[in-house]
Amino acid sequence: MSKLDGNGRWQSKMTLTEHTEQYEARNELKTSRPTPEEYTMARDYILLPHMLTMIERSIEEIRTSTNILKRLYLIAAQTVMNQIHKDMHSLRRELSKRNIKVINDEQIDLVIYYKIMCRGYEERFGIVRDVVRSEISVRLTNYLKDVAKFLEQYGK
């Protein structure tokens, strides 16, 4: 029941049926399942903070190290961190634009569960820790390839 029911003008000839349909459609709750692309975005949203934590730990280890290439490693790690921050920011913006929220739910044994709320549709999403580790490994390799390409261009 809309707030205009019972109002005599709403039933009059002054209101076009298109306007009535638009008003009623605006107030309907639109629910839709996430697309495969949106599931990938949610997975990335879950993985990127874990990657940042791993890199921060590595930076602390490098700082306490006595390696002569310590400065190079720190610069490379900071470059990767900056790129991950940029990716996280753009991912958050895109998820917000699509009205998708990802919330940490619980961890049972080797599975980490999250809630995905997508335009009124709610679903529980689980990721096995081994999958998280392997996916993080692949992604870090890709970020490091980008750093290596940059260093190769600089050396030429």
Side-chain angles (χ1 to χ4, degrees), residues 37-38 41-42 44-45 48 84-102 119:
E37 177 190 4
E38 291 170 341
M41 291 169 59
D44 292 347
Y45 181 80
L48 290 176
I84 291 173
H85 276 295
K86 286 179 187 175
D87 291 347
M88 282 177 60
H89 180 70
S90 63
L91 190 59
R92 277 190 202 125
R93 184 177 278 165
E94 185 64 28
L95 287 172
S96 174
K97 190 168 40 171
R98 294 178 185 217
N99 197 15
I100 300 173
K101 293 180 184 174
V102 180
R119 298 176 292 273

Side-chain angles (χ1 to χ4, degrees), residues 25-74:
R26 184 175 29 166
N27 293 327
E28 289 178 8
L29 182 62
K30 297 177 183 174
T31 60
S32 64
R33 290 183 59 107
T35 63
E37 177 190 4
E38 291 170 341
Y39 277 120
T40 302
M41 291 169 59
R43 186 190 64 203
D44 292 347
Y45 181 80
I46 292 166
L47 293 176
L48 290 176
H50 291 292
M51 291 172 63
L52 274 180
T53 303
M54 291 174 64
I55 292 173
E56 288 170 354
R57 287 182 190 154
S58 294
I59 286 175
E60 291 305 315
E61 289 175 10
I62 292 168
R63 283 192 176 134
T64 59
S65 136
T66 58
N67 192 326
I68 59 172
L69 296 176
K70 174 168 105 170
R71 184 149 170 78
L72 175 65
Y73 295 148
L74 285 174

Side-chain angles (χ1 to χ4, degrees), residues 95-117:
L95 287 172
S96 174
K97 190 168 40 171
R98 294 178 185 217
N99 197 15
I100 300 173
K101 293 180 184 174
V102 180
I103 300 170
N104 192 356
D105 192 13
E106 63 182 344
Q107 181 173 344
I108 301 174
D109 294 328
L110 299 174
V111 181
I112 305 168
Y113 290 100
Y114 293 86
K115 282 185 182 176
I116 297 178
M117 291 181 261

Side-chain angles (χ1 to χ4, degrees), residues 147-156:
V147 171
K149 284 179 187 176
F150 178 75
L151 290 174
E152 285 176 8
Q153 290 174 355
Y154 181 75
K156 290 182 180 182

